[in-house]
Amino acid sequence: MTQSPSLVEQGISQQHLKTVSCANVLTLAYQSLGVIYGDLSTSPLYVYKTTFSGKLSLHENDEEIFGVFSFIFWTFTLIALCKYVFIVLSADDNGEGGTFALYSLLCRYAKLSILPNHQELDEKLSTYATGSPGETRQSAAFKSFFEKHPKSQKFLLIFVLLGTCMAIGDSVLTPTISVLSAVSGVKLKIPNLHENFVVIIACIILVAIFSVQRYGTHRVAFIFAPISTAWLLSISCIGVYNTIKWNPRIVSALSPVYMYKFLRSTGVEGWVSLGGVVLSITGVETMFADLGHFSSLSIKVAFSFFVYPCLILAYMGEAAFLSKHHEDIQQSFYKAIPEPVFWPVFIVATFAAVVGSQAVISATFSIISQCCALDCFPRVKIIHTSSKIHGQIYIPEVNWMLMCLCLAVTIGLRDTNMMGHAYGLAVTSVMLVTTCLMTLVMTIVWKQRVITVLAFLAFFGSIEFLYFSACVYKIPEGGWIPILLSLTFMAVMYIWNYGTTKKHEFDVENKVSMDRIVSLGPSIGMVRVPGIGLVYTNLVTGVPAVFGHFVTNLPAFHKILVFVCVKSVQVPYIGEEERFVISRVGPKEYGMFRSVVRYGYRDVPREMYDFESRLVSAIIEFVETERETEEEEVSNARRKKEECMEIMEAKEAGVAYILGHSYAKAKQSSSLLKKLAVNVVFAFMSTNCRGTDVVLNVPHTSLLEVGMVYYV
């Protein structure tokens, strides 16, 4: 089986292929090294350093070092390999992974929709599959609970947003700690180099990373996989060398007994140090989040047969070196590198830090794009950086915001240990969110037995909570950073979602009655002029209030009237053949239609090139295929042809776009908190975010805006 370039670029899973050749799997596995594992593979730069940054001391019997390595090995094996590779990767949404994929599955199977304009017709989409209709007692109980308690649905949304915001926090901390840790190695060869110079070098690299984002990762991605491969091979070979040279006994630490000995001898300080151990699995969420660009099998192959053994050997070798060089604990990674290969490894480490940073930055762009689609983030400019690779996007506002935050953390902290404490809290929070969502997926979607679900939650939840509690202890020493970042992003997301939901409720309550429209006759009480009028609305039924407001002030309208609703559906992708849903509004002689344009949460609407032609073609196809009785079909064949000609002539006469320029205000009776959220925060975001006309790429020469005030 030969593989086309597009197949390699977009990933097997998106193509819905059932069988792939060994060569295809290996190709995708190799490519995934440069996209997915950059963050995970740079963890050895700072894990031991952060773990032993507290009061944990080293004794001559090396019990602490053996215990820490044992914790790293079993954490890597149980969380990364068993949980993520063997279980979580199977919970894909039409080939897509990540927090939103799990949430999307739950929304469809348990019928929890945060999108107010959901239609039953959406459930007939090819990607909206909800599996077998059979219900278990447990899945039915969960569905009933969510139906009876609407607040639980809101709580679930907030919980998902928490995980999402912590993942965004990762994108601030990963470039910072990776680059600064990599660059700090130069102080070994230039001891007199002031710390300020190291920070300046790290800042220059960070600015360079964010400055090239607008060119797209596909322009430099071809070197990412070789860099990651060279990095993993070099640290694994150095690990084997150090194990043999310094302490082959370190192999015995693979026994879980050493974890018990470690906690028994170190007590509270040993528990607190676990906040550094958990940094060894930073980046495991990326395996799941980037599932859409690769196949599940290729990710499993790459991790199980290359990434996992390479990193275990690296950690083992560093532990063996530390067992004989206790004094080098704060510079153990670079001290453990043999002198002849120091500079080559230093250079590769710096490039590997860049690759790891690129992975989380790209993931953040994708997360923000999904949040915008689900009305959980203000509208931002989304630029496609590749015409071939789906999902490669660039968001200027988010890019520069992340750069400023990274520079602020780097200059403000200057300490990778404090950064590590912050990083650990963000990582463990995301993992706990994933575990809880997976528990719901196993119950509602997979319909597993109670004992299986409880075993999963108790086993992995207890391990992750152990690490989370250790990270919480470090909140005063840097752990407050991801909390502050996540609370800020959560406030923005929740207020935006609340404001847009309330505006939709206002639209529903104030829509124009169809009886009133029909009573006005075919002219709708106006002068009908040649052309097509496109009225944009969030409603999928009824006539929006903005239309009534428009005709009140200007009693003339186009001969063909189309209410256009551009909406998102809780599926990752929607094919072009299912994009448009056309229907009539009122009797045929009124010349009114409705067009619902649907996108998935992973679909990024490109500039709506030739949108008018596509829309008109869809309307004409609807008119031609519209169902009628046999008698009407014979008598109205000519009328259909005439109507199609009228639509074409109207398009030639010109197309006008009518948008509502709305302002939301809290009612006078609202609480002070609601007034602050709506009148100040939401109003500020609405004013400064991308306008609807820009997002929809409406030509300014054909744009008409109607002012509206929404009292929510």
Side-chain angles (χ1 to χ4, degrees):
M1 175 179 171
T2 58
Q3 185 166 1
S4 66
S6 62
L7 185 62
V8 175
E9 289 172 338
Q10 294 186 18
I12 301 276
S13 60
Q14 289 185 15
Q15 303 298 325
H16 304 287
L17 298 179
K18 301 300 181 184
T19 58
V20 292
S21 69
C22 182
N24 291 335
V25 172
L26 293 177
T27 300
L28 287 172
Y30 172 71
Q31 288 183 333
S32 70
L33 295 176
V35 177
I36 292 179
Y37 298 110
D39 183 12
L40 188 65
S41 63
T42 54
S43 298
L45 287 167
Y46 45 79
V47 168
Y48 283 108
K49 181 177 183 294
T50 307
T51 302
F52 289 99
S53 63
K55 298 178 182 179
L56 189 64
S57 57
L58 299 177
H59 297 93
E60 291 301 322
N61 60 6
D62 295 326
E63 225 173 54
E64 291 79 10
I65 292 175
F66 277 51
V68 167
F69 171 65
S70 184
F71 262 104
I72 290 173
F73 171 76
W74 285 105
T75 301
F76 223 78
T77 303
L78 295 176
I79 301 297
L81 188 64
C82 296
K83 176 190 167 184
Y84 278 90
V85 173
F86 293 151
I87 301 175
V88 176
L89 283 181
S90 301
D92 66 289
D93 180 16
N94 292 282
E96 293 297 322
T99 305
F100 271 105
L102 294 177
Y103 184 60
S104 176
L105 283 173
L106 292 173
C107 286
R108 296 207 305 272
Y109 279 79
K111 298 189 182 300
L112 315 172
S113 181
I114 64 166
L115 301 175
N117 49 17
H118 176 76
Q119 296 172 285
E120 288 187 9
L121 193 62
D122 297 336
E123 299 178 13
K124 297 180 181 179
L125 287 165
S126 58
T127 51
Y128 205 96
T130 55
S132 59
E135 289 284 355
T136 63
R137 186 172 61 182
Q138 295 76 30
S139 63
F142 269 108
K143 288 183 181 181
S144 175
F145 176 80
F146 283 122
E147 288 175 5
K148 292 178 180 178
H149 302 85
K151 288 186 178 180
S152 64
Q153 301 180 27
K154 188 64 71 175
F155 174 78
L156 182 62
L157 171 63
I158 295 174
F159 189 64
V160 170
L161 291 181
L162 171 64
T164 302
C165 293
M166 281 294 185
I168 296 174
D170 278 355
S171 63
V172 175
L173 298 169
T174 297
T176 304
I177 192 172
S178 298
V179 172
L180 190 58
S181 298
V183 172
S184 63
V186 76
K187 293 183 70 175
L188 284 180
K189 297 302 178 184
I190 313 176
N192 296 327
L193 186 67
H194 196 276
E195 182 187 359
N196 288 344
F197 287 102
V198 176
V199 173
I200 290 172
I201 294 171
C203 288
I204 291 172
I205 293 175
L206 287 171
V207 171
I209 291 172
F210 286 100
S211 297
V212 300
Q213 292 301 312
R214 61 194 179 98
Y215 297 108
T217 56
H218 68 285
R219 297 185 186 276
V220 288
F222 67 94
I223 64 170
F224 283 2
I227 289 174
S228 294
T229 304
W231 168 249
L232 287 167
L233 286 175
S234 61
I235 61 175
S236 62
C237 291
I238 292 171
V240 172
Y241 169 81
N242 285 329
T243 300
I244 296 173
K245 181 177 181 179
W246 298 112
N247 194 349
R249 283 185 51 249
I250 192 68
V251 177
S252 63
L254 297 178
S255 168
V257 173
Y258 282 88
M259 292 192 292
Y260 169 73
K261 291 181 178 180
F262 171 78
L263 291 177
R264 185 184 61 184
S265 62
T266 57
V268 174
E269 290 305 323
W271 162 67
V272 172
S273 70
L274 295 181
V277 171
V278 78
L279 296 180
S280 62
I281 53 173
T282 58
V284 291
E285 276 288 333
T286 314
M287 284 195 298
F288 184 43
D290 286 335
L291 182 59
H293 293 291
F294 302 93
S295 67
S296 175
L297 181 59
S298 65
I299 293 175
K300 291 178 179 180
V301 168
F303 182 84
S304 303
F305 296 101
F306 187 69
V307 177
Y308 176 77
C310 284
L311 288 175
I312 293 299
L313 290 173
Y315 286 118
M316 182 186 294
E318 193 173 345
F321 175 83
L322 273 175
S323 67
K324 304 300 181 184
H325 303 82
H326 292 183
E327 69 283 359
D328 294 328
I329 186 64
Q330 285 302 303
Q331 294 178 319
S332 60
F333 179 81
Y334 281 112
K335 285 277 190 178
I337 299 174
E339 186 66 27
V341 297
F342 177 87
W343 286 111
V345 173
F346 173 78
I347 293 171
V348 175
T350 305
F351 279 110
V354 172
V355 173
S357 303
Q358 179 62 58
V360 294
I361 293 169
S362 299
T364 302
F365 292 158
S366 180
I367 288 172
I368 296 296
S369 173
Q370 294 171 39
C371 289
C372 289
L374 297 176
D375 288 336
C376 292
F377 200 83
R379 296 180 298 271
V380 291
K381 184 178 183 179
I382 300 175
I383 301 172
H384 285 263
T385 59
S386 173
S387 59
K388 296 180 179 179
I389 307 176
H390 185 91
Q392 283 204 358
I393 56 176
Y394 167 63
I395 304 178
E397 297 97 324
V398 175
N399 183 66
W400 302 122
M401 178 191 66
L402 289 179
M403 186 189 77
C404 292
L405 290 173
C406 285
L407 293 176
V409 172
T410 304
I411 297 170
L413 295 184
R414 299 174 175 231
D415 183 5
T416 54
N417 289 331
M418 288 188 70
M419 294 176 189
H421 300 153
Y423 199 10
L425 184 60
V427 169
T428 51
S429 299
V430 177
M431 289 193 300
L432 276 172
V433 169
T434 300
T435 298
C436 294
L437 291 178
M438 274 300 303
T439 302
L440 292 175
V441 168
M442 292 175 72
T443 305
I444 297 174
V445 182
W446 292 353
K447 299 177 176 58
Q448 294 291 318
R449 293 183 300 173
V450 177
I451 188 67
T452 305
V453 175
L454 291 179
F456 173 85
L457 179 62
F459 184 72
F460 292 110
S462 59
I463 295 173
E464 290 164 1
F465 186 78
L466 175 66
Y467 287 121
F468 177 75
S469 61
C471 293
V472 168
Y473 189 84
K474 295 287 187 179
I475 286 179
E477 301 175 31
W480 56 271
I481 295 175
I483 294 178
L484 179 63
L485 288 173
S486 63
L487 288 178
T488 303
F489 280 110
M490 270 193 70
V492 169
M493 290 181 177
Y494 187 79
I495 291 174
W496 184 261
N497 177 260
Y498 177 82
T500 51
T501 302
K502 289 298 180 182
K503 284 177 67 175
H504 183 271
E505 290 176 0
F506 181 90
D507 272 334
V508 172
E509 292 171 2
N510 294 275
K511 62 184 179 182
V512 181
S513 168
M514 275 304 303
D515 292 336
R516 181 186 168 191
I517 295 291
V518 172
S519 67
L520 295 174
S523 66
I524 324 181
M526 302 181 294
V527 178
R528 302 296 289 266
V529 298
I532 297 178
L534 304 182
V535 181
Y536 281 86
T537 173
N538 290 323
L539 298 177
V540 292
T541 59
V543 177
V546 67
F547 178 69
H549 193 60
F550 178 83
V551 298
T552 301
N553 293 278
L554 186 64
F557 212 80
H558 301 84
K559 195 170 185 180
I560 302 298
L561 175 61
V562 184
F563 297 105
V564 180
C565 174
V566 180
K567 72 169 191 174
S568 294
V569 183
Q570 283 169 325
V571 295
Y573 303 104
I574 294 177
E576 286 298 324
E577 67 280 359
E578 297 178 304
R579 181 83 64 209
F580 290 90
V581 178
I582 309 295
S583 59
R584 282 193 185 273
V585 178
K588 295 178 182 179
E589 58 269 18
Y590 282 55
M592 297 194 300
F593 300 89
R594 184 183 310 282
S595 173
V596 179
V597 188
R598 303 181 293 185
Y599 288 93
Y601 61 83
R602 283 264 188 188
D603 278 327
V604 180
R606 295 177 180 269
E607 292 187 354
M608 302 181 80
Y609 57 93
D610 206 18
F611 174 72
E612 295 174 7
S613 298
R614 293 167 60 198
L615 177 60
V616 170
S617 297
I619 293 173
I620 290 176
E621 184 181 353
F622 167 78
V623 170
E624 291 176 341
T625 58
E626 194 174 12
R627 276 203 223 170
E628 294 179 350
T629 63
E630 292 184 9
E631 294 178 3
E632 288 180 328
E633 191 172 350
V634 175
S635 61
N636 291 341
R638 180 178 296 177
R639 189 199 57 78
K640 281 189 176 185
K641 189 174 182 180
E642 290 175 354
E643 187 176 8
C644 291
M645 290 299 295
E646 286 178 3
I647 295 171
M648 292 299 296
E649 289 172 0
K651 180 180 181 299
E652 294 299 324
V655 179
Y657 296 78
I658 294 86
L659 275 74
H661 195 80
S662 58
Y663 302 89
K665 287 188 177 181
K667 296 176 181 177
Q668 289 296 326
S669 58
S670 302
S671 64
L672 181 63
L673 182 63
K674 182 176 179 179
K675 288 181 179 179
L676 177 65
V678 176
N679 295 349
V680 180
V681 181
F682 184 76
F684 175 80
M685 289 189 290
S686 299
T687 304
N688 292 277
C689 73
R690 303 273 286 180
T692 309
D693 57 321
V694 179
V695 174
L696 299 172
N697 198 37
V698 175
H700 290 284
T701 55
S702 306
L703 174 63
L704 292 172
E705 288 190 309
V706 182
M708 288 283 292
V709 178
Y710 288 64
Y711 290 98
V712 299

